[in-house]
Amino acid sequence: MKTLHEWLSLQTDANASMTAKRLLTVIKERRISVEEQFVLIESSFHFVMKLDQDDKRFKSARNQIIEAWTLFCNQADDQLMWYYDSMLSMFEFALINNTYAAGNVLHLSNAFVETEIADNRKALRSNHTRVLKLIDAYIEQAVRKEGTDNEHWGGGIAADLTHLYFYHTHYEGDDDLRQAVSMFIPKLITTCYVSCNNITGALLKHHPHFGSEAANLIHYFVTLTAPSNEDDYGSFFYDIAYDFLGDSDFSLLKQKRTITILPYLESYLIQWTDVQFDFFTQNFVFYSLQENGIKLVAKSKDRQKVLQLLIVTNRSTPMYDKIVQLFDDALALKSKTTKKQSSSTKSSTEGISFKDFNFKLVVIEELMYRQNILEPAFDLYAFVADYFERDINIEDEGYEIIPEAQTYFEELVLTSDHLAHVKELIFDGGLQIYTQIVPFWAGEDELFDVHSLEDASHLPNLTTLSVMSMLMADTSELEQRGIVIE
């Protein structure tokens, strides 16, 4: 009967899943010595290289091998460092020796990136210079092998190694690493864009000259000889096109990055042929705006700036006419909606004036979110979707007061009839109304504390105050009125 080491050393066959499962078991249960584990893990590198990643039969085997690597590395730092050193040595060896097929090395780099080791960051930072040299070398290999399958494999390995800096670093504290690797991203994309994806794009955002580099890449794609199949542009192209003016959480526009691109893109616009202009317009404007184009442009001055930049080129193309129509429709919608919202804030009904705005918020909570008397209930996300004065980005602004939301509640009319329904008020940091004004409010400051109960005089039927927190005012006068303080 063959040993596990022998099975790992053989060509991949129908026993792949069984072999991978045996390796995972002996590593998980530590049935063998650490020295023997080193031998088996190194053999598994070659095993993974021979697995056809497009063959679904081997998916389970591959995943089990990756899990074994993770368990092995998590046992001790010296094993993690050995693992990284051995992996990088494999990639270095493949550059100068034809023993491994390039496609097999790509299988290994794919698996290497997918390992979820607890302290991968430590090993990556220790080997940072070495990894950057490998990225550079594999990009150069892709350049030398242009027009062959090795071009894509070289670019794919380089892309995988750059992606280590997305998956194997901390969200905060490793920007120096991500900035360093971002310097290779533009050349990687222009060398082998089919190997790049949204992760490549995320790393590009750390480039110190992102605006100019992104404009250069857009120009590269616009002037590129079109592939016979649109899918051959690769996912990076469609990601950056969709994010250019889109409304997703990763939108370049939401991150204020589209505007940094425009000054550099402007010089390219005049160079483009009509066909290239329409290609850009179709992919970077209409594709990114999707079906909500009119509304999104109406809400955003930055999107309007992009359209204006295109309009001043004064082209005679079908897409140019669509851009002009989109811009006109968006401005018309904005004008119409702004007038409607302005008139809706005016009321012939005389409202009650409150001296303490935070007290008014507690009253609104009772009437709007508990009794459903004030309808429709205010929903910040729905409000932002239909707000046209500016583009409010809740994800970025939600840790502070959203001024427009606060203004809405300040101007909300409460009548004597409304206030007659209030019998109980709850003072608690968990009230829903607070997150309508500061979406990500943690309740750890005094922002919504109530310092006066003078406005309680507007509530003739008030019987109870349920106080958890937030109330900083003296309640003795209300208690004399017979109001219960809980």
Side-chain angles (χ1 to χ4, degrees):
M1 182 175 180
K2 292 184 177 67
T3 66
L4 178 54
H5 175 67
E6 289 173 323
W7 277 119
L8 287 167
S9 301
L10 291 173
Q11 290 293 325
T12 302
D13 55 16
N15 294 306
S17 294
M18 181 193 73
T19 302
K21 186 175 182 180
R22 286 180 62 192
L23 175 66
L24 177 58
T25 299
V26 298
I27 298 295
K28 183 183 293 185
E29 299 179 3
R30 303 194 187 188
R31 295 182 181 179
I32 57 177
S33 68
V34 173
E35 289 72 19
E36 291 175 298
Q37 290 185 44
F38 278 109
V39 173
L40 290 180
I41 293 296
E42 187 167 21
S43 295
S44 70
F45 296 166
H46 301 273
F47 181 81
V48 166
M49 285 199 292
K50 291 176 286 188
L51 288 174
D52 183 354
Q53 297 193 93
D54 295 326
D55 192 327
K56 293 181 180 179
R57 293 177 303 163
F58 301 131
K59 182 177 180 180
S60 175
R62 182 173 175 275
N63 290 342
Q64 289 181 95
I65 292 291
I66 292 174
E67 186 178 350
W69 293 349
T70 299
L71 290 171
F72 171 80
C73 292
N74 286 340
Q75 289 178 21
D77 278 354
D78 61 336
Q79 291 172 220
L80 168 61
M81 294 302 180
W82 173 87
Y83 166 79
Y84 247 78
D85 177 67
S86 299
M87 274 286 189
L88 297 181
S89 294
M90 295 282 287
F91 299 127
E92 289 163 345
F93 180 77
L95 280 169
I96 59 176
N97 192 293
N98 294 324
T99 302
Y100 310 135
N104 290 351
V105 183
L106 180 59
H107 294 171
L108 185 65
S109 66
N110 289 165
F112 181 36
V113 174
E114 291 180 26
T115 56
E116 297 182 8
I117 299 162
D119 211 357
N120 254 330
R121 172 181 180 253
K122 179 190 294 184
L124 178 58
R125 188 170 278 280
S126 297
N127 291 279
H128 174 52
T129 302
R130 192 176 174 189
V131 175
L132 293 184
K133 287 181 179 179
L134 277 167
I135 291 170
D136 188 36
Y138 273 103
I139 292 175
E140 290 303 320
Q141 185 200 58
V143 172
R144 292 193 302 273
K145 301 292 185 179
E146 186 176 3
T148 70
D149 285 338
N150 280 354
E151 171 198 355
H152 302 307
W153 286 326
I157 295 166
D160 282 338
L161 293 175
T162 63
H163 293 175
L164 291 173
Y165 291 83
F166 181 86
Y167 291 113
H168 294 181
T169 51
H170 286 183
Y171 182 73
E172 296 180 354
D174 288 330
D175 278 353
D176 61 319
L177 298 182
R178 287 185 284 270
Q179 181 171 316
V181 79
S182 73
M183 306 302 288
F184 294 91
I185 298 297
K187 187 173 182 180
L188 171 62
I189 293 169
T190 55
T191 299
C192 198
Y193 55 82
V194 296
S195 298
C196 302
N197 56 30
N198 61 318
I199 302 304
T200 321
L203 291 169
L204 177 65
K205 293 173 186 176
H206 292 273
H207 198 290
H209 305 296
F210 172 80
S212 60
E213 293 297 342
N216 292 341
L217 289 170
I218 291 171
H219 178 66
Y220 169 79
F221 281 109
V222 168
T223 57
L224 185 69
T225 302
S228 56
N229 185 335
E230 283 194 358
D231 291 339
D232 290 341
Y233 278 109
S235 66
F236 169 82
F237 168 76
Y238 288 105
D239 283 322
I240 192 173
Y242 182 72
D243 287 343
F244 187 69
L245 292 181
D247 200 41
S248 72
D249 290 342
F250 305 102
S251 168
L252 295 174
L253 183 129
K254 278 189 175 182
Q255 298 171 14
K256 301 298 180 184
R257 294 180 181 272
T258 296
I259 298 305
T260 67
I261 299 172
L262 289 187
Y264 305 98
L265 199 61
E266 188 172 6
S267 62
Y268 287 130
L269 269 172
I270 60 175
Q271 301 176 32
W272 294 342
T273 65
D274 285 348
V275 171
Q276 291 167 346
F277 175 89
D278 278 3
F279 176 85
F280 172 81
T281 302
Q282 177 65 51
N283 289 284
F284 287 84
V285 177
F286 288 103
Y287 172 66
S288 64
L289 293 175
Q290 300 289 318
E291 68 275 4
N292 295 320
I294 296 175
K295 188 174 183 179
L296 290 175
V297 173
K299 286 165 55 66
S300 168
K301 291 181 180 179
D302 288 344
R303 290 188 179 95
Q304 292 164 26
K305 287 179 182 177
V306 174
L307 265 59
Q308 288 171 324
L309 190 65
L310 298 174
I311 290 171
V312 298
T313 62
N314 198 26
R315 302 267 181 167
S316 297
T317 73
M319 296 308 297
Y320 178 86
D321 293 339
K322 288 185 178 181
I323 284 289
V324 173
Q325 188 64 54
L326 172 61
F327 185 74
D328 290 344
D329 290 345
L331 292 189
L333 176 61
K334 180 178 180 179
S335 176
K336 177 182 178 181
T337 307
T338 301
K339 289 178 181 178
K340 181 180 178 181
Q341 290 176 340
S342 176
S343 62
S344 69
T345 60
K346 298 177 182 179
S347 174
S348 58
T349 305
E350 187 69 27
I352 301 298
S353 177
F354 284 77
K355 294 185 178 180
D356 189 324
F357 174 63
N358 286 346
F359 184 87
K360 181 182 180 181
L361 292 179
V362 177
V363 174
I364 295 173
E365 173 81 19
E366 175 67 19
L367 294 172
M368 181 175 285
Y369 299 109
R370 296 189 71 221
Q371 296 191 37
N372 300 318
I373 289 173
L374 296 174
E375 294 183 314
F378 180 87
D379 178 86
L380 179 61
Y381 285 86
F383 174 82
V384 166
D386 292 324
Y387 189 78
F388 286 82
E389 288 301 305
R390 71 179 183 93
D391 198 8
I392 301 172
N393 188 337
I394 294 177
E395 296 304 313
D396 286 347
E397 303 176 40
Y399 295 92
E400 304 290 340
I401 290 173
I402 304 291
E404 293 82 0
Q406 177 167 302
T407 298
Y408 175 90
F409 290 115
E410 287 174 341
E411 296 179 350
L412 184 64
V413 173
L414 298 182
T415 67
S416 297
D417 289 342
H418 290 143
L419 300 182
H421 290 277
V422 179
K423 296 180 181 180
E424 178 185 12
L425 290 179
I426 297 174
F427 295 83
D428 181 18
L431 299 187
Q432 183 175 342
I433 197 168
Y434 299 145
T435 56
Q436 301 298 328
I437 299 173
V438 184
F440 308 131
W441 187 59
E444 297 176 352
D445 55 41
E446 302 174 355
L447 182 62
F448 294 111
D449 284 357
V450 174
H451 294 279
S452 171
L453 290 173
E454 186 175 347
D455 292 315
S457 61
H458 302 309
L459 310 175
N461 298 315
L462 182 65
T463 62
T464 306
L465 296 187
S466 180
V467 182
M468 310 294 181
S469 59
M470 317 299 291
L471 182 57
M472 301 293 119
D474 183 5
T475 61
S476 58
E477 289 190 15
L478 294 188
E479 291 178 90
Q480 290 175 10
R481 279 175 49 185
I483 295 174
V484 177
I485 313 297
E486 296 179 341

